[in-house]
Amino acid sequence: MKRLLMLNGPNLNMLGQREPHIYGFDTLQTIEEDIRTYVQTYNWELDAYQSNHEGHLIDKLQQSNGKYEGIIFNPAAYTHTSVALRDAISAIDTPVIEVHLSNVHARESFRSKSLLAPVCKGQISGLGVVGYKLAAQAFLETDDGEGG
Ligand code: DQA
């Protein structure tokens, strides 16, 4: 069975109540369940993990190596600061797609810089929760059909 990992960084556990005019009213649990249901239609599985701690996200990236076809990653504020997360993504073979609910290029200037995007397969920003689904679709539809 092929698997995807959905990884969410700091403060995303507060989705639904956190600045809903920017991030919407969906909770992280609802989003994870929607993506899980979606990947199951392709007979894939989804593991989901959220942490407010940079080191825990690094541990998860390292441990995921070889286990997943891809990682859907919203690194939240660490996007703009974390050389350590960038190095962790570079250190693993699993492709990572960076996702942001909001359009990071249309907000404060410090958000337009991603330290992680250059080492990711791609970046999706500003499409709300659909962004997670499109990232999943990118992995599902570029599947080589081998293994399982
Ligand atoms: C975010 C954008 C980041 O700039 C911010 O720090 C977040 C959420 C987004 O999903 O739009 O926490 O990653």
Side-chain angles (χ1 to χ4, degrees):
M1 180 76 79
K2 295 191 175 185
R3 308 172 92 88
L4 293 177
L5 175 65
M6 181 161 145
L7 209 51
N8 280 282
N11 301 306
L12 294 171
N13 56 312
M14 293 186 68
L15 284 178
Q17 21 168 332
R18 172 195 182 201
E19 300 181 277
H21 57 291
I22 298 175
Y23 299 116
F25 287 96
D26 290 332
T27 64
L28 184 58
Q29 200 188 348
T30 304
I31 297 168
E32 287 171 353
E33 280 314 309
D34 282 355
I35 302 302
R36 179 166 291 118
T37 302
Y38 174 58
V39 309
Q40 281 170 350
T41 63
Y42 285 73
N43 285 322
W44 287 33
E45 280 180 4
L46 184 84
D47 289 340
Y49 178 78
Q50 186 276 333
S51 178
N52 293 324
H53 303 276
E54 189 176 21
H56 291 170
L57 295 165
I58 292 167
D59 288 344
K60 202 71 184 174
L61 286 165
Q62 290 180 4
Q63 290 157 10
S64 71
N65 204 18
K67 283 198 216 153
Y68 298 100
E69 306 303 311
I71 300 171
I72 302 161
F73 189 16
N74 185 344
Y78 288 138
T79 307
H80 320 298
T81 63
S82 180
V83 176
L85 279 171
R86 177 187 174 125
D87 287 351
I89 294 168
S90 295
I92 61 174
D93 294 328
T94 317
V96 175
I97 298 179
E98 181 182 309
V99 173
H100 300 286
L101 292 157
S102 66
N103 181 351
V104 289
H105 304 287
R107 299 179 62 194
E108 302 96 324
S109 58
F110 65 83
R111 293 188 203 274
S112 65
K113 177 72 187 168
S114 169
L115 296 184
L116 310 187
V119 295
C120 288
K121 186 178 168 74
Q123 184 198 54
I124 298 170
S125 176
L127 305 182
V129 297
V130 175
Y132 289 105
K133 195 170 182 184
L134 292 174
Q137 186 186 11
F139 287 125
L140 293 162
E141 302 263 329
T142 53
D143 180 29
D144 62 11
E146 283 176 23

